[in-house]
Amino acid sequence: QVQLVQSGAEVKKPGASVKVSCKASGYSFTSYYVHWFRQAPGEGLEWMGQINPSGGSPNYAQKFRGRVALTAETSTSTVYMEVNGLRSEDTAIYLCARDVGVVPGRDYFDHWGQGTLVTVSS
Amino acid sequence: DIVLTQSPVTLSLSPGERATLSCRASQSVRRYLAWYQQKAGQAPRLLIYDASTRATGIPARFSGSGSGTDFTLTISSLEPEDFAVYYCQQRDTSITFGQGTRLEIK
């Protein structure tokens, strides 16, 4: 079955970077885009960007361009999301999700990781 | 960015009742709208996409309708497991979500 398993919780100081992983299994890794989202405590969902694991440049939401980097490692079927220059307002649960359709995708999301809590605190 | 406004913020109903949730877009998103269910401590679950297509494994009591700027998610007869937060999401221009509707037990 399709599974996305994310790395564990992180605590970071302001100004630091964090890198979260999302390991995929149960499907053809290079056939589906993977998207990243975040959800601040008690808040709604915010789309951060997407990556085509088979290659090409990631696509980022305007708000995160220049501060977020998505990469994919086909040998391990893993997608990584790195956020630089962390601020307290970046404290959130970060989630990866698979697109519902094969590349070029449909921009709907049918399988999700369990989420990774990133806490930014001095 | 396209803003999605969901109403009501909270909906209090009893099992067996019909639930009607609304999502209004700040500009037309054609039919490029999805609905998700999220329970506490869990990831979202895709219910409906392209305004009215049920995702794989979603029960028939969930239905979606609408186009342009006004959309509705209907749950025909509430089951105990349906009480959760529901989000709409558009993919017409970038990707944005509504702020959610909390469906609670009355």
Side-chain angles (χ1 to χ4, degrees), chain A residues 35 37 39 43-47 50 95 100 105-110 112-113, chain B residues 31-34 36 38 43-46 49-50 87 89 91 94-95 97 99:
Chain A
H35 298 251
F37 307 81
Q39 190 167 30
E43 301 293 326
L45 293 154
E46 185 173 30
W47 179 73
Q50 67 185 50
L95 299 121
V100 71
R106 301 292 315 280
D107 288 342
Y108 303 120
F109 321 108
D110 62 349
W112 295 71
Chain B
R31 289 182 59 82
Y32 295 133
L33 190 110
Y36 297 83
Q38 188 176 32
R45 174 193 182 197
L46 177 65
Y49 63 94
D50 287 345
Y87 294 98
Q89 172 241 325
R91 54 133 289 185
S94 188
I95 294 168
F97 289 82
Q99 84 284 5

Side-chain angles (χ1 to χ4, degrees), chain A residues 66-97:
Chain A
R67 210 161 68 89
V68 170
L70 302 181
T71 55
E73 188 174 83
T74 55
S75 62
T76 59
S77 299
T78 301
V79 174
Y80 298 92
M81 182 215 54
E82 184 169 24
V83 184
N84 302 306
L86 287 166
R87 311 184 267 258
S88 59
E89 51 266 40
D90 292 318
T91 293
I93 295 172
Y94 289 78
L95 299 121
C96 62

